[in-house]
Amino acid sequence: MATGGDLVVTARLEELAGRLLRAIRERTSIAPLTSEHPNLSLEEAYRIQDLVVEALGGRTAAKLGLTSKAKQQQMQVASPLFAWLPPGSL
């Protein structure tokens, strides 16, 4: 069963996903979500991604980034990143 804190986090992630969806649909740019939410975790970011991709029709393909160790070190990440692409984005 979800706690009150879980519901607050879920609502926040849904609100952030909604911002991204509006920007996609209106074809407008927005500031990175981390500019307003610098403590956004990688897990939360992937959850937002899942919400956005789900709203856009599901997964069609995957995209990988930061696959080289040199680039990971430069960007200060420990592993490659991935994104799911919705239909119509290929």
Side-chain angles (χ1 to χ4, degrees), residues 5-6 9-11 14 26-27 33 35 38 41 44 46 55-57 63 66 69 71 78-79 85-88 90:
D6 293 337
V9 170
T10 298
E14 288 173 349
E26 296 171 5
R27 298 183 182 268
L33 298 179
S35 65
S41 72
E44 290 170 323
Y46 279 131
L56 294 174
K63 179 179 181 177
L66 305 176
K69 287 291 181 194
K71 192 62 176 177
S79 61
L85 302 176
L90 297 178

Side-chain angles (χ1 to χ4, degrees), residues 1-89:
M1 179 171 212
T3 66
D6 293 337
L7 295 175
V8 170
V9 170
T10 298
R12 180 176 69 111
L13 299 181
E14 288 173 349
E15 189 273 327
L16 294 173
R19 276 197 219 173
L20 291 174
L21 284 166
R22 278 189 300 281
I24 290 166
R25 291 178 175 141
E26 296 171 5
R27 298 183 182 268
T28 59
S29 62
I30 61 172
L33 298 179
T34 52
S35 65
E36 234 180 276
H37 301 275
N39 296 324
L40 192 69
S41 72
L42 186 59
E43 292 76 20
E44 290 170 323
Y46 279 131
R47 179 65 187 128
I48 292 167
Q49 173 185 274
D50 288 344
L51 292 167
V52 169
V53 170
E54 183 181 314
L56 294 174
R59 300 174 178 178
T60 296
K63 179 179 181 177
L64 300 175
L66 305 176
T67 56
S68 76
K69 287 291 181 194
K71 192 62 176 177
Q72 290 170 22
Q73 289 172 347
Q74 178 187 13
M75 301 305 294
Q76 300 178 355
V77 298
S79 61
L81 302 177
F82 70 93
W84 293 107
L85 302 176
S89 62

